[in-house]
Amino acid sequence: MIKEKIVNGAHNAPHRSLYKALGLTREELDRPLIGIVSSYNEIVPGHMNLDKITEAVKLGVAMAGGTPIMFPAIAVCDGIAMGHVGMKYSLVTRDLIADSTEAMVMAHGFDGLVMIPNCDKNVPGLLMASARLNIPTVFVSGGPMLAGRVDGKKRSLSAMFEAVGSYKAGSIDENKLCEYENKACPTCGSCSGMYTANSMNCLTEVLGMGLRGNGTIPAVYSARIELAKHAGMQVMELVRKNIRPKDIMTKAAIRNAITADMALGCSTNSMLHLPAIANECGVEFDLDDVNRISEVTPNLCHLAPAGPTYMEDLNEAGGVYAVLKELEKIGLLDTSVMTCTGKTMAENIADAFNRDKETIRTVENPYSKTGGIAVLKGNLAPDGCVVKRSAVAPEMLVHEGPAKVYESEEEAIAAIYAGKIVKGDVVVIRYEGPAGGPGMREMLSPTSAIAGMGLDKDVALITDGRFSGATRGASIGHVSPEAVSGGIIAYVKDGDIISINIPEYKIELKVSDEEIEKRKKEMPIKTKDNISGYLKRYVKMVSSADKGAIINR
């Protein structure tokens, strides 16, 4: 065990004295020391309940013969950070979380870990750290929020953002907007649709790093506390058997995660996080594989914002395991992979059952025969861009229209609310990529404004930034190379015709190569000179979106 190297022997008496300053007994030091990485804070609604999860995990560890010691991880609420400078600090925290967790574990000699994340960058950041550290680890998240209710219908944060667009368009009044404000987010937990946080929590189950129900048991259910106790107990079993994250997160497991992503209709942000996790695992991630997997994987779930069902409904329908059971029917998964249960996926899902064949469609009756995410390529995005096609209206799967170009998210939002965007337009927002933003901001505000104003079936949006999992419509992000790196998106002009064909995975700027070369000489790349602090370092190290916006070490 790692801890024994800094606890036993006369030369380690100073170390023991500091452990004893914590109030630890010799008996506790003789047991495996389990780090409890708690993301509890009082600003993120998805994390406000993690103090209870932490205490339950600690109890589980102690019940199973370990010594639990908690230390913190940071987390940003993407909803609160949305639409202003704060969003520049969201994606960048993923690497801060991974790096700081690595530092704490290596400095203090833990024998095992229980990771307690919940929201968007917190989950992948800790998955990256677990692969990097490669000591026995279990994940238990805080759980999803229950859906709100307005006018007798379930609602969520995406409906709240769209309500702002409806208010600006004059289709609802201030009283109705206030009603949405008061009811859209009724409990603690990660926002209630298949947004990024819930996507990654569900994929944690598929990757084998979280126990059954980790992605779907609502935050306010007592079953979530039970799950936390079992996670604490289970990490001790992993320590005894020496089962480590890289034994679990193999190439086959990551391929399983992509497959499940397609069936669940996860956030496009998973196409940033899975490559980053794979990188830490030493597994090659080819973005072209995404379309190959999508071609043979049916989309079985239309959770909000794609449809009217929510995480609580997925939980009642049988959860992630029920989805995996459907996929197993047609041989799309490698179920021989090891998981944190100490059993294979095949053993885990043996008794899984689909209780609601509308929330989770069967493979015989899918929402579509192809997966929820598509990677498009063409001269506008030679290295790829990503769209959540399961949330695109059928009439927008193929679209061609004139570009309306904006140099920032703020410029685009102002134009949308001013009525400058009309049916058929293709809104282009550039210089919002990983380095150009910097920080690759989410574009939930402009996409929600378009949807709220009733234009989501008529207008496409393209950006080198990214989208919230709450986004719906023909919203195409992660354009690579990004504008600041000289990508073709930097040379688009108002009125240029852009062609989008999602079924054929194509995106084209209908401008000749000669004209593009001419523009490269006339249109200088724009850089931001007022960047300071952590963002200044981030810009120098971050990779392009198609590589997962990883930090190039």
Side-chain angles (χ1 to χ4, degrees):
M1 293 187 293
I2 299 171
K3 172 179 59 62
E4 290 183 356
K5 297 178 182 178
I6 57 175
V7 169
N8 294 333
H11 62 291
N12 283 326
H15 302 78
R16 291 196 296 275
S17 71
L18 291 168
Y19 280 121
K20 290 180 178 180
L22 295 169
L24 294 179
T25 65
R26 181 69 226 194
E27 291 81 1
E28 287 173 300
L29 291 177
D30 287 338
R31 299 171 182 170
L33 191 65
I34 306 299
I36 314 298
V37 188
S38 175
S39 305
Y40 169 71
N41 63 54
E42 295 182 339
I43 188 61
V44 183
H47 291 228
M48 63 184 284
N49 65 322
L50 296 191
D51 55 341
K52 295 177 176 61
I53 301 295
T54 300
E55 289 306 312
V57 169
K58 290 170 70 177
L59 182 57
V61 169
M63 288 166 62
T67 298
I69 299 287
M70 186 277 291
F71 64 88
I74 63 169
V76 163
C77 176
D78 276 25
I80 294 175
M82 196 72 64
H84 58 90
V85 68
M87 184 46 72
K88 294 179 184 288
Y89 287 88
S90 172
L91 180 60
V92 304
T93 65
R94 187 187 69 183
D95 295 275
L96 282 174
I97 290 162
D99 292 349
S100 59
T101 301
E102 175 191 356
M104 287 294 288
V105 173
M106 295 305 294
H108 299 110
F110 295 101
D111 298 303
L113 297 169
V114 179
M115 305 291 200
I116 309 178
N118 209 29
C119 288
D120 295 32
K121 312 309 167 298
N122 195 242
V123 183
L126 290 177
L127 282 166
M128 291 163 65
S130 68
R132 194 183 300 172
L133 292 161
N134 202 33
I135 62 175
T137 302
V138 176
F139 274 68
V140 57
S141 302
M145 185 183 290
L146 293 179
R149 281 171 172 77
V150 179
D151 298 330
K153 295 181 179 179
K154 289 183 179 180
R155 304 291 186 184
S156 63
L157 184 66
S158 56
M160 182 70 251
F161 274 89
E162 289 178 18
V164 175
S166 299
Y167 173 73
K168 294 279 189 180
S171 54
I172 65 171
D173 61 17
E174 189 171 352
N175 288 333
K176 179 57 72 173
L177 181 65
C178 186
E179 184 181 359
Y180 272 93
E181 179 182 329
N182 292 332
K183 295 180 177 179
C185 300
T187 72
C188 63
S190 47
C191 295
S192 56
M194 188 54 83
Y195 310 146
T196 305
N198 291 327
S199 295
M200 294 309 302
N201 282 325
C202 287
L203 294 183
T204 300
E205 286 190 58
V206 185
L207 285 167
M209 294 298 291
L211 301 179
R212 183 177 195 161
N214 186 56
T216 60
I217 298 171
V220 295
Y221 283 15
S222 296
R224 178 62 59 174
I225 300 296
E226 293 181 43
L227 182 72
K229 291 176 184 175
H230 283 129
M233 296 180 213
Q234 187 57 32
V235 74
M236 294 301 298
E237 187 68 16
L238 296 183
V239 169
R240 281 189 280 269
K241 293 181 176 179
N242 196 29
I243 298 174
R244 300 168 181 251
K246 287 185 179 178
D247 300 324
I248 295 170
M249 291 192 289
T250 61
K251 185 172 185 176
I254 289 169
R255 188 178 179 85
N256 285 343
I258 300 170
T259 303
D261 184 303
M262 296 299 164
L264 286 162
C266 291
S267 164
T268 51
N269 282 315
S270 61
M271 292 300 106
L272 283 176
H273 301 322
L274 286 175
I277 294 162
N279 178 66
E280 295 290 353
C281 293
V283 172
E284 184 180 353
F285 190 102
D286 185 349
L287 205 57
D288 290 333
D289 281 343
V290 173
N291 286 343
R292 287 191 281 268
I293 292 171
S294 181
E295 277 295 311
V296 297
T297 306
N299 178 225
L300 306 180
C301 299
H302 265 195
L303 295 140
T309 51
Y310 292 79
M311 295 306 296
E312 62 201 69
D313 302 309
L314 180 59
N315 187 62
E316 293 302 316
V320 174
Y321 278 22
V323 176
L324 298 180
K325 189 75 169 181
E326 287 289 340
L327 296 173
E328 184 191 35
K329 289 180 185 177
I330 51 176
L332 292 179
L333 300 170
D334 182 343
T335 58
S336 69
V337 293
M338 178 53 61
T339 73
C340 70
T341 66
K343 300 176 181 178
T344 65
M345 178 186 284
E347 293 173 290
N348 287 345
I349 67 174
D351 63 347
F353 180 70
N354 184 355
R355 303 189 198 96
D356 181 347
K357 293 180 174 58
E358 191 58 30
T359 298
I360 304 172
R361 292 279 186 94
T362 64
V363 291
E364 296 83 12
N365 180 39
Y367 282 102
S368 65
K369 293 181 179 179
T370 52
I373 288 178
V375 175
L376 313 184
K377 287 191 174 182
N379 67 343
L380 188 58
D383 293 335
C385 55
V386 180
V387 61
K388 186 174 182 176
R389 66 172 157 193
S390 60
V392 178
E395 52 266 53
M396 287 299 292
L397 290 171
V398 177
H399 180 76
E400 187 170 292
K404 294 279 183 70
V405 184
Y406 302 97
E407 308 295 326
S408 70
E409 178 186 11
E410 288 83 358
E411 284 186 22
I413 292 171
I416 294 164
Y417 285 145
K420 295 181 180 179
I421 306 303
V422 299
K423 289 184 178 183
D425 283 348
V426 178
V427 177
V428 176
I429 306 176
R430 61 192 179 198
Y431 293 104
E432 290 285 8
M440 203 180 184
R441 289 193 288 178
E442 285 188 347
M443 303 291 171
L444 180 56
S445 293
T447 58
S448 296
I450 287 169
M453 298 176 82
L455 293 170
D456 57 296
K457 295 180 180 180
D458 302 288
V459 170
L461 195 153
I462 297 172
T463 181
D464 52 6
R466 60 194 176 93
F467 294 110
S468 165
T471 289
R472 62 185 175 93
S475 302
I476 300 164
H478 306 195
V479 169
S480 300
E482 61 177 297
V484 79
S485 299
I488 300 301
I489 192 172
Y491 305 108
V492 181
K493 290 186 176 182
D494 283 345
D496 287 347
I497 300 300
I498 294 176
S499 173
I500 300 162
N501 191 320
I502 295 172
E504 294 185 7
Y505 308 114
K506 293 178 180 178
I507 185 166
E508 293 289 334
L509 175 65
K510 293 203 162 182
V511 172
S512 69
D513 292 344
E514 292 78 14
E515 175 62 20
I516 289 171
E517 289 304 313
K518 179 184 175 184
R519 291 181 188 182
K520 285 181 178 180
K521 297 173 183 177
E522 298 172 347
M523 299 171 66
I525 296 297
K526 297 179 181 180
T527 57
K528 297 180 174 72
D529 298 324
N530 58 343
I531 303 169
S532 61
Y534 178 61
L535 292 181
K536 189 171 185 177
R537 284 179 283 147
Y538 184 83
V539 166
K540 294 178 180 179
M541 296 186 292
V542 68
S543 78
S544 61
D546 63 296
K547 303 298 183 187
I550 60 173
I551 297 298
N552 291 313
R553 289 179 170 79

